[in-house]
């Protein structure tokens, strides 16, 4: 973790901002879609991506459209994502896009790109400036992340992780703790699946909150 600058308050706020209760829709992460091939298969049968109901009001969701997913420097994973619209247009009108877990929300690329760029100081297609910003985020306080993980009710993984790293942890410590627990991985490199799974869990537990 070299070249760390501190996280600006604005950057920190954007990572910790949960969806407002008044927000009409947002992103849902399909946690079981780990690669482009699986994603394309699901797109071919769009109903397989349809959420059970509108997370905001519980009404049925209709397929709205396919939206190109902008990816920087990754033509191999250029794809589209499905958007759904709440059937109760008058009282709710929520719109939800479903993002496969291997794509990083708000980071314009795949988690493979992020994991690769953070793996070392060698050449990377990701600009140095971007890598510095990502490293600064991971060096920042994970207090909110840990708080969110500690509220998980699905199995003990997230609660155990939160308790193991503690409220004083940095974001990178949470990632490393998860990588160690999940894969027995002890090297500096953190597998992309660890980024993807942790980020998806945090977003599910508190929509809007980001790993990085
Ligand atoms: Zn709705």
């Amino acid at each position: 973790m070299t070249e760390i600058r501190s996280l600006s308050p604005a950057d920190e706020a954007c990572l910790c901002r949960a969806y407002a209760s008044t927000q009409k829709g947002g992103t849902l992460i399909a946690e079981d879609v780990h690669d482009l091939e699986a994603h394309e298969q699901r797109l071919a049968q769009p109903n397989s991506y349809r959420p059970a109901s509108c997370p905001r009001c519980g009404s049925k969701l209709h397929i709205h459209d396919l939206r190109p997913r902008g990816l920087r420097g990754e033509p191999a994973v250029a794809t589209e994502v499905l958007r759904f619209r709440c059937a109760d247009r008058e009282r709710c009108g929520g719109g939800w896009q479903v993002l496969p877990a291997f794509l990083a929300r708000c980071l314009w690329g795949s988690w493979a790109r992020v994991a690769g760029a953070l793996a070392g100081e060698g050449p990377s297609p990701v600009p140095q400036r971007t890598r510095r910003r990502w490293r600064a985020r991971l060096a920042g306080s994970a207090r909110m992340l840990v708080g969110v993980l500690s509220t998980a009710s699905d199995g003990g993984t997230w609660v155990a992780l939160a308790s193991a790293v503690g409220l004083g942890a940095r974001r990178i410590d949470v990632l490393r703790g998860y990588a160690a627990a999940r894969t027995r991985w002890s090297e500096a490199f953190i597998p992309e699946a660890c980024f993807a799974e942790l980020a998806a869990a945090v977003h599910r537990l508190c929509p809007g909150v980001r790993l990085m």
Side-chain angles (χ1 to χ4, degrees):
M1 299 288 290
T2 56
E3 300 182 71
I4 290 171
R5 64 169 172 81
S6 60
L7 209 56
S8 74
D11 210 8
E12 173 129 32
C14 92
L15 297 181
C16 294
R17 190 176 300 129
Y19 286 172
S21 58
T22 49
Q23 182 168 327
K24 288 189 168 190
T27 297
L28 301 170
I29 296 176
E31 296 185 46
D32 56 343
V33 182
H34 306 295
D35 55 45
L36 185 61
E37 190 183 353
H39 175 60
E40 299 284 351
Q41 282 171 6
R42 295 278 288 267
L43 286 185
Q45 298 184 318
N47 280 325
S48 68
Y49 255 144
R50 188 201 304 268
S53 60
C54 173
R56 185 160 184 256
C57 76
S59 299
K60 194 172 152 60
L61 289 170
H62 294 308
I63 293 170
H64 180 61
D65 64 3
L66 265 176
R67 177 172 177 234
R69 175 68 185 178
L71 297 169
R72 289 185 188 141
E74 284 184 295
V77 291
T79 187
E80 296 172 308
V81 295
L82 265 170
R83 288 197 298 189
F84 295 85
R85 186 68 65 185
C86 180
D88 190 343
R89 286 182 174 252
E90 280 192 10
R91 279 176 296 183
C92 176
W96 302 90
Q97 71 164 348
V98 180
L99 196 65
F102 68 93
L103 293 180
R105 195 174 66 87
C106 304
L107 296 180
W108 301 101
S110 65
W111 283 115
R113 176 174 182 258
V114 174
L118 293 172
E121 294 298 321
S124 165
V126 177
Q128 190 63 17
R129 187 167 35 99
T130 304
R131 284 192 282 169
R132 273 200 295 273
R133 186 167 68 245
W134 288 351
R135 288 202 170 95
R137 287 179 182 173
L138 289 182
S141 167
R143 176 169 284 271
M144 178 156 188
L145 272 190
V146 172
V148 167
L149 292 172
S150 71
T151 66
S153 56
D154 54 339
T157 307
W158 304 119
V159 176
L161 176 62
S163 147
V165 298
L167 284 173
R170 301 166 301 166
R171 289 166 183 268
I172 187 69
D173 301 325
V174 182
L175 259 171
R176 288 194 180 129
Y178 181 52
R182 181 188 180 279
T183 66
R184 308 285 165 218
W185 204 281
S186 58
E187 305 297 321
F189 178 71
I190 299 169
E192 67 195 64
C194 293
F195 285 87
E197 290 165 11
L198 185 54
V202 168
H203 181 67
R204 168 167 43 80
L205 292 166
C206 190
V209 174
R210 290 161 58 179
L211 168 64
M212 60 179 281

